[in-house]
Amino acid sequence: MKYLQILGQKKLAGEVSISGAKNAALPLLASTILAKNSVEICNLPNVVDINTLLKLLEMLGSSFSKIDNNCITINTLNINETKATYDIVKTMRASILVLGPLLARFGHCEVSLPGGCAIGQRPVDLHLKALEQMGAIIEIKAGYILATAPKGLKGSTIVFDKITVTGTENIIMAAALAHGTTKIINAAKEPEVVQLCEVLRDAGLNIKGIGTNEIEIEGTAQELLEFKDFGIIADRIEAGTYLCAGAIANSKITLNNVIPMHLDAVLSKLEEMGFGIEKTDTTITLLPAKSIKPVKLTTTEYPGFPTDMQAQFMALATQANGVSIIDENLFENRYMHVNELLRMGADITLKGHTATITGTPNALTGTDVMATDLRASSALVLAALVAKGTTNIHRIYHLDRGYENLEEKLTALGADVKRFNE
Ligand code: UD1
């Protein structure tokens, strides 16, 4: 296993280029199961989760070749296996994204139940209920979802009880090859869902309501789609994490290759905290604050403040002059970073899903801490950037799931970050 060693309190400066969005790339790779042609996909982030999904698609019978570090050509026409096994699904919950397209194309598939997860229970009941409404027969046997729809899926009206990102994506992909029209009500509107819709529309699918919470899809009755080549949108969560790195070091940094509009909620919280923000169409510059102000934020669905940025803002709030309040509304156990931040000297109390952070600039001290999940790990990296002395962050395989070239990018900004073997 590897760990990161960070020597804190360095000023940051300069520019960082943002990678493609992992959470857009995952459903888009799964969507190629619906393609009748090979597809070139660029701006793929070179991170573990993407390689895991590529491995799963390969196990199903697809083939891909790398054009370079971030571009591939993928061909799924030869898929001859429809079982996503436990050993791969257990390493990445998002493997559930193959359920909708496999079932729609082949009329049957087996996908291991994802099981528990560090940030909460995270059931997939809404995905399954919606597929049943589309005529699928779903059985849970020995830890597997067995799904069949011998005559194909039928278009239906799906009203999601809760907004679910991967649930919406799974049903969009299922509906693409269904017989008849599917209406998804209370759909997720995240930019990653929007790009999935746009790529399917460009592949000839008749899809209305893109970017709204009501999406209507006219299924092709199991005819595969002719995909166009495409590039993945910029990762708004990676971008938000680097903005927090600049903010916690109270330094001027510029992000390149971003879509500023996707970060509105994050940028407005940074402005409330006293940081300056300058934007162009594809860049964001963060300017230091005279004094970092505390913040109040509540995580919610897009376009609200993202749960995937909650941990990073908590690290930042430890440097504010005063008391910040964070409400986590999407996942019940997404405060695993709190204990580690406490070990670094933070003053945080938890009550239910509310965290109260009493900030004091420069009060954190480096020590050994443990990464627990992807975004919690990035909060520890941020805290380490501002802590006195050295922080060793263990179990960084969590970070490698979603951050491309983290050490290189932080080092280029002036941080002192090294990776070692345990
Ligand atoms: C996606 C993102 C993840 C992000 C989350 C919320 C990907 C690969 N992952 O996860 O980074 O943190 O959105 O923005 O895109 N729920 C149910 N039943 C279901 C499905 C969801 O009760 O069948 C609940 C969840 O437990 C959670 C809420 O709905 O409380 C939202 O979860 P959801 O949007 O589905 O998260 P993911 O798609 O798994």
Side-chain angles (χ1 to χ4, degrees):
M1 269 209 268
K2 304 266 183 9
Y3 70 97
L4 279 189
Q5 186 168 84
I6 300 181
L7 178 61
Q9 300 205 314
K10 303 269 178 206
K11 276 278 167 210
L12 303 186
E15 300 186 4
V16 58
S17 181
I18 298 306
S19 298
K22 166 182 89 70
N23 286 355
L26 291 170
L28 284 164
L29 282 172
S31 79
T32 62
I33 294 173
L34 308 171
K36 63 164 92 153
N37 54 316
S38 7
V39 192
E40 189 179 306
I41 307 178
C42 283
N43 205 32
L44 269 175
N46 196 355
V47 295
V48 171
D49 273 8
I50 297 304
N51 292 326
T52 303
L53 188 57
L54 285 171
K55 191 165 147 209
L56 169 56
L57 291 170
E58 217 172 20
M59 283 162 76
L60 298 175
S62 353
S63 54
F64 70 92
S65 55
K66 288 209 163 203
I67 301 168
D68 61 33
N69 232 357
N70 301 99
C71 285
I72 62 162
T73 302
I74 184 159
N75 187 324
T76 62
L77 265 187
N78 289 334
I79 289 185
N80 53 5
E81 177 60 66
T82 54
K83 182 169 179 173
T85 54
Y86 176 67
D87 39 304
I88 199 132
V89 178
K90 74 166 194 259
T91 65
M92 187 183 68
R93 291 182 46 82
S95 311
I96 192 74
L97 285 165
V98 299
L99 176 66
L102 280 179
L103 182 60
R105 173 165 156 192
F106 296 99
H108 61 89
C109 67
E110 288 179 46
V111 177
S112 171
L113 273 173
C117 158
I119 67 171
Q121 211 191 357
R122 296 184 86 175
V124 290
D125 57 316
L126 300 175
H127 303 226
L128 303 185
K129 190 174 153 204
L131 289 172
E132 280 177 334
Q133 281 177 271
M134 297 175 75
I137 299 161
I138 308 267
E139 254 188 290
I140 307 289
K141 237 188 193 164
Y144 277 79
I145 302 162
L146 312 186
T148 49
K151 292 189 190 136
L153 292 166
K154 296 191 304 271
S156 176
T157 297
I158 312 290
V159 184
F160 276 120
D161 291 339
K162 256 189 196 176
I163 297 178
T164 159
V165 176
T166 49
T168 302
E169 292 163 347
N170 239 334
I171 300 311
I172 290 170
M173 292 187 277
L177 300 198
H179 298 260
T181 300
T182 299
K183 209 172 186 184
I184 308 175
I185 295 170
N186 206 22
K189 297 190 286 195
E190 270 63 5
E192 297 77 20
V193 178
V194 171
Q195 193 183 15
L196 173 67
C197 291
E198 287 172 349
V199 166
L200 292 175
R201 181 198 57 201
D202 293 347
L205 191 70
N206 192 351
I207 175 163
K208 291 188 203 136
I210 297 179
T212 74
N213 50 18
E214 259 187 62
I215 301 174
E216 197 175 297
I217 297 154
E218 200 183 300
T220 65
Q222 287 178 292
E223 183 170 335
L224 296 177
L225 298 163
E226 176 96 36
F227 273 55
K228 303 257 182 0
D229 299 339
F230 62 90
I232 306 288
I233 56 169
D235 194 319
R236 63 195 168 99
I237 305 300
E238 190 203 18
T241 304
Y242 283 102
L243 286 170
C244 285
I248 210 162
N250 209 12
S251 302
K252 177 180 171 183
I253 65 163
T254 296
L255 314 188
N256 294 326
N257 302 325
V258 277
I259 306 171
M261 188 176 75
H262 291 168
L263 282 136
D264 280 346
V266 167
L267 296 177
S268 83
K269 287 296 161 192
L270 287 168
E271 283 177 327
E272 270 175 54
M273 294 181 86
F275 298 98
I277 299 290
E278 287 172 359
K279 297 182 273 190
T280 69
D281 285 352
T282 56
T283 69
I284 301 174
T285 298
L286 176 109
L287 305 166
K290 284 200 185 76
S291 151
I292 304 179
K293 292 183 215 146
V295 70
K296 276 200 176 107
L297 60 88
T298 299
T299 66
T300 180
E301 293 87 6
Y302 189 83
F305 188 89
T307 174
D308 285 351
M309 284 303 302
Q310 177 258 106
Q312 299 88 317
F313 266 73
M314 188 178 296
L316 178 55
T318 66
Q319 301 308 303
N321 293 284
V323 179
S324 296
I325 310 277
I326 297 184
D327 266 311
E328 170 57 58
N329 284 317
L330 289 183
F331 295 108
E332 77 269 19
N333 192 24
R334 206 167 197 179
Y335 279 137
M336 310 254 289
H337 43 287
V338 170
N339 279 332
E340 304 303 304
L341 292 173
L342 291 178
R343 298 191 62 254
M344 296 177 76
D347 179 348
I348 304 168
T349 52
L350 279 183
K351 198 167 177 204
H353 51 72
T354 303
T356 304
I357 305 108
T358 305
T360 310
N362 300 312
L364 299 184
T365 311
T367 181
D368 285 270
V369 290
M370 193 98 86
T372 50
D373 70 63
L374 175 56
R375 305 307 169 187
S377 324
S378 60
L380 301 180
V381 171
L382 297 175
L385 291 176
V386 77
K388 286 188 210 89
T390 302
T391 305
N392 295 314
I393 306 171
H394 302 275
R395 298 202 182 164
I396 50 161
Y397 53 84
H398 291 288
L399 278 170
D400 293 335
R401 285 186 40 215
Y403 288 95
E404 184 175 36
N405 301 334
L406 179 80
E407 295 104 275
E408 289 82 348
K409 290 186 184 188
L410 283 173
T411 305
L413 287 172
D416 185 339
V417 184
K418 294 190 183 75
R419 182 182 286 243
F420 294 106
N421 285 317
E422 291 282 2

